[in-house]
Amino acid sequence: MRSPGPPPRARRAAPRLPASRGLRARLASAARGAAALALLLAGCIEVPPPPPRPPLQPKDIQVPEGVGLEIACTPTGVELCFDARDNNCNGVIDEGCGLHTGILQFTIAWEEPEADVDLNVYDPAGELARVGEPTASGLMKDRDCPRVSGECQEQNVENVFLTEGEPARGRYRVVVRLDKLNDATAPIRVRLSARVGQRSYSMALDLSPSAATEEKSVEFTL
C-alpha cells in the first residue's frame, strides 16, 4: 500500500484591512479619478476672452467762452507740418514732422516767430508735463519754442504726449499761455489740438498780453 502523503497546506487568507483604512483608500481613489476628470473637462472647455476695453472718450469737456471745438475734419490727403492739425484725419497730429505722438497728445502752433507761447498740460494728479522728463502718469513735453539755439527754426510748435501705456483716468487741464509778446502784434492766434485715442479735437485761441486774455484753458475727464 502506498503511504499517504503529507496533508495539503491550508491557504492563507489575504489580510483584511481595517474598515477605516479601506474607506480612506476608496475615497482617495475616487478623489484622484475626479481630479483627472476635471482636468479632462477643463481641456475641452473654451474660456471666453476678456471683453475689449472701451475706446478713450473725453467727457465733461470745458472750453473757453466763445471758442468753438472742432471734432470733424476734412481730409486733405497730405499731413502738413507745424500747423497743429490732423490734416489727413487719421487721429495723429503732425505725424512725420519730428514730433512725438501717443494715444494722448496735445499740440499748439502759432505763426508769429517772436511770440513766446507756452503749452502747459496737467495730468489728473496735478503734475505738469516737462521737457524731457515724464510725469508719474507718463506725460512728457518734447520741445519748448521759440529757442535762441534755433532748434525750432521759426516753426513754433509745442507738443506734449503720453510716452507709453494707458492714460491715467481723471481730470486733465490744458493751459495755453502767452508768456512774452516781444515784437509781435497782438492778438496771437494759436491753434490747439488734442488727440484722445484715435480721435482728434482742435480749436483756435486768441491771446493778448492782459490778465484776462493772456491764457486760455481746456479741461476734460477720461
Side-chain angles (χ1 to χ4, degrees), residues 7 25 42 44 53 64 67 104 145 147 165 172 175 177 180 185 210 221:
C44 299
R53 295 178 64 90
V67 174
L104 270 188
C145 293
R147 286 280 186 89
Y172 287 81
V175 180
R177 183 176 184 275
K180 294 179 181 178
T185 302
S210 72
T221 300

Side-chain angles (χ1 to χ4, degrees), residues 28-188:
S29 176
R32 288 193 295 269
L37 180 61
L39 290 175
L40 180 62
L41 292 176
C44 299
I45 296 175
E46 293 186 5
V47 179
R53 295 178 64 90
L56 292 177
Q57 184 68 36
K59 299 180 295 184
D60 303 326
I61 302 175
Q62 178 182 329
V63 301
E65 184 177 355
V67 174
L69 178 64
E70 302 172 14
I71 299 177
C73 62
T74 302
T76 62
V78 178
E79 183 69 38
L80 303 177
C81 289
F82 310 120
D83 65 349
R85 289 179 180 270
D86 176 19
N87 302 105
N88 58 2
C89 297
N90 67 346
V92 184
I93 304 164
D94 283 0
E95 63 180 322
C97 302
L99 301 180
H100 291 89
T101 63
I103 58 174
L104 270 188
Q105 182 187 1
F106 308 92
T107 308
I108 61 171
W110 63 102
E111 293 184 359
E112 294 78 1
E114 306 90 351
D116 187 353
V117 181
D118 291 330
L119 172 63
N120 298 321
V121 180
Y122 298 87
D123 66 15
E127 190 175 359
L128 173 65
R130 299 172 295 276
V131 176
E133 181 182 357
T135 66
S137 64
L139 288 180
M140 187 167 71
K141 194 172 185 177
D142 67 1
R143 64 176 61 196
D144 185 8
C145 293
R147 286 280 186 89
V148 177
S149 61
E151 175 187 345
C152 300
Q153 299 179 356
E154 296 190 353
Q155 300 286 355
N156 286 330
V157 176
E158 293 195 2
N159 185 60
V160 172
F161 65 102
L162 182 66
T163 56
E164 61 181 356
E166 286 289 319
R169 296 310 198 257
R171 191 77 175 165
Y172 287 81
R173 184 166 177 255
V174 182
V175 180
V176 182
R177 183 176 184 275
L178 177 62
D179 187 41
K180 294 179 181 178
L181 185 61
N182 295 323
D183 295 329
T185 302
I188 304 299

